[in-house]
Amino acid sequence: MYPKYCYYSKVTKCQSQPIVFPAQHQDVQPGLEYLMDPLPIAENPEYRGSGKLAGKVAIITGGDSGIGRAAAIAFAKEGANVVIVYLYEHRDAEYTKRRIEELGQQCLAIAGDLRSPLVSQEVVRRTLKGFGQIDILVNNHGVQFPQCSILEITDAQLEDTFRTNIFAFFYMTKAVLPHMARGSCIINTTSVTAYEGNRYLIDYSATKGAIVAFTRSLSLSLADAGIRVNAVAPGPIWTPLQPASWPAEYITTFGTDTPMKRPGQPFELAPAYVYLASQDSGYVSGQVLHVNGGTITST
Ligand code: NAD
Ligand code: MG
C-alpha cells in the first residue's frame, strides 16, 4: 500500500544524504505520477489524524497527484470528504480516490480544464450536489514550461501559464466563495521561486509571485467575512511536474542544491496544508508557509 517504505525511511532518517533519481522525462504536461521512478511518497504511514477536519468538505485542485494528493490523503485522515480536480490523469486520480475511500472518507474526482471559468462553476455545482457544503478550497494546480531565455517564451506559453496558474485561482475562488460560511478557508500553492526567482522559469515565477499577492489581498478582503486565506510555498518536491518539465539529465540532481541537499517528498508538505485548513491556524491569515528544505526566503 505504501510505495517504497524503505525509501521513506531513508529520506527521514538520513536527511543529510543526497537523493539521486534516475534520469527521466515525460513528454506531456501534466505528468503522470504512476510512471515516475521512484514513485513519489504521498503518505506518511505514521501520520495519525485526530479529527481536525471532521465533517468538513475540501476541494483540492491538482488533487490527483503530487502535493495535492498528499494534502488530500492527510485531509481524509483528519476526517474531511475531498473533491479532487485534475486535467486528464484518470489513473492517478483513481488511486487517490481509492486511498481516501480506504480511509473511510468520500472522494469525488472531477476531470476538467480549469483554464475555463465554466469548469470552476461545474466543480462547485457537483460538490454541492454530492456533499452540500464547501469549507476548504485548496488552489493547487499548476504548470511550468522551462525556457533558457524570455525570448523563447511564446505568447501562447505566456497565456497558458498565466491562465492556468493564476487566472484559474480567481475562477475557482469566485465560484466557491458565495457558498462559504464563516470559518471556511482558502489555501493557495505558490513556490519558492516567487521569493528566489528562477532563471529558467520567468513566467512561472511571475505567476507564483502573483499568487502571494493574491493571497495577501484576498485575506484582507475576506477577514470581515471570517474566511482565512493563506499559502504554502514548496521548494523542490518530487512530483510529476518535474519529469514533465525538465530535461531527463536535470532530474538526477533535482533538489540537491537546497541546504538539506535533497528534494522534498509530497508527504512532507501535507501537515502544512492540514495546519492552514484547521482551527489550529485560526489566528493566521494572509501568510505563506515555506516548506523548502531550509532555503531562507526574505519573508
Ligand atoms: P502535479 O503535476 O502532481 O500537480 C499539478 C496538477 O495540476 C496536475 O495534477 C494537474 O491535474 C493539474 N492541472 C494542470 N493544469 C490544469 C488545468 N488546466 N486544469 C486542471 N488541472 C490542471 O505537480 P505538483 O508539483 O504537485 O504541483 C502542485 C502545485 O505545487 C503546483 O501549483 C506547483 O506549481 C506547485 N509547486 C511544486 C513544486 C515542486 O517542486 N513540485 C515546487 C513549488 C511549487
Ligand atoms: Mg497529476
Side-chain angles (χ1 to χ4, degrees):
M1 179 194 314
Y2 307 115
K4 310 233 161 111
Y5 182 80
C6 52
Y7 181 74
Y8 159 79
S9 306
K10 185 176 164 192
V11 168
T12 53
K13 299 208 174 109
C14 309
Q15 292 194 337
S16 62
Q17 293 300 311
I19 305 293
V20 179
F21 296 113
Q24 59 200 282
H25 178 75
Q26 296 185 24
D27 284 331
V28 288
Q29 194 171 166
L32 300 171
E33 182 149 333
Y34 72 87
L35 293 182
M36 292 174 70
D37 176 24
L39 289 170
I41 304 167
E43 182 176 350
N44 177 355
E46 285 157 25
Y47 184 102
R48 300 265 177 275
S50 57
K52 285 179 198 279
L53 303 178
K56 304 285 187 191
V57 175
I59 298 176
I60 305 180
T61 69
D64 58 301
S65 59
I67 295 165
R69 172 187 282 181
I73 290 171
F75 280 15
K77 285 187 177 180
E78 294 291 354
N81 291 326
V82 186
V83 177
I84 57 172
V85 188
Y86 64 100
L87 192 54
Y88 52 56
E89 311 96 296
H90 304 299
R91 183 162 158 184
D92 285 343
E94 197 44 49
Y95 175 95
T96 307
K97 178 175 158 65
R98 216 175 33 248
R99 183 66 192 124
I100 288 171
E101 289 168 352
E102 275 172 14
L103 291 165
Q105 296 302 132
Q106 294 178 63
C107 177
L108 183 58
I110 303 177
D113 188 340
L114 290 167
R115 287 172 290 192
S116 160
L118 295 178
V119 172
S120 293
Q121 290 161 21
E122 177 65 7
V123 168
V124 168
R125 191 189 66 74
R126 289 182 60 185
T127 303
L128 292 173
K129 185 161 178 261
F131 297 122
Q133 66 191 74
I134 305 170
D135 307 286
I136 302 157
L137 169 63
V138 182
N139 286 312
N140 165 74
H141 68 279
V143 289
Q144 66 180 25
F145 304 101
Q147 302 292 355
C148 287
S149 158
I150 191 171
L151 300 178
E152 290 168 21
I153 300 175
T154 62
D155 290 350
Q157 174 176 325
L158 185 63
E159 177 87 27
D160 189 15
T161 306
F162 272 78
R163 185 164 291 285
T164 307
N165 290 11
I166 179 70
F167 282 27
F169 281 30
F170 276 79
Y171 301 151
M172 271 308 304
T173 304
K174 287 175 67 178
V176 161
L177 204 51
H179 308 283
M180 278 188 152
R182 292 187 81 78
S184 301
C185 67
I186 298 171
I187 305 169
N188 301 314
T189 303
T190 175
S191 167
V192 68
T193 64
Y195 297 85
E196 291 211 299
N198 184 303
R199 60 179 291 185
Y200 302 115
L201 295 170
I202 302 172
D203 51 343
Y204 172 85
S205 302
T207 65
K208 293 301 178 178
I211 291 168
V212 173
F214 173 66
T215 300
R216 291 173 173 164
S217 302
L218 191 65
S219 83
L220 293 173
S221 143
L222 295 180
D224 287 344
I227 297 172
R228 298 179 301 104
V229 186
N230 290 291
V232 176
I237 311 300
W238 184 235
T239 71
L241 186 70
Q242 306 307 340
S245 58
W246 297 106
E249 284 311 316
Y250 172 93
I251 293 299
T252 59
T253 55
F254 172 67
T256 52
D257 56 350
T258 60
M260 293 189 190
K261 297 187 176 59
R262 67 169 181 87
Q265 289 288 342
F267 80 90
E268 297 179 288
L269 276 291
Y273 288 86
V274 169
Y275 170 68
L276 293 176
S278 74
Q279 262 313 108
D280 285 355
S281 61
Y283 195 48
V284 178
S285 194
Q287 308 303 316
V288 182
L289 279 186
H290 297 269
V291 186
N292 63 22
T295 298
I296 306 300
T297 55
S298 57
T299 45

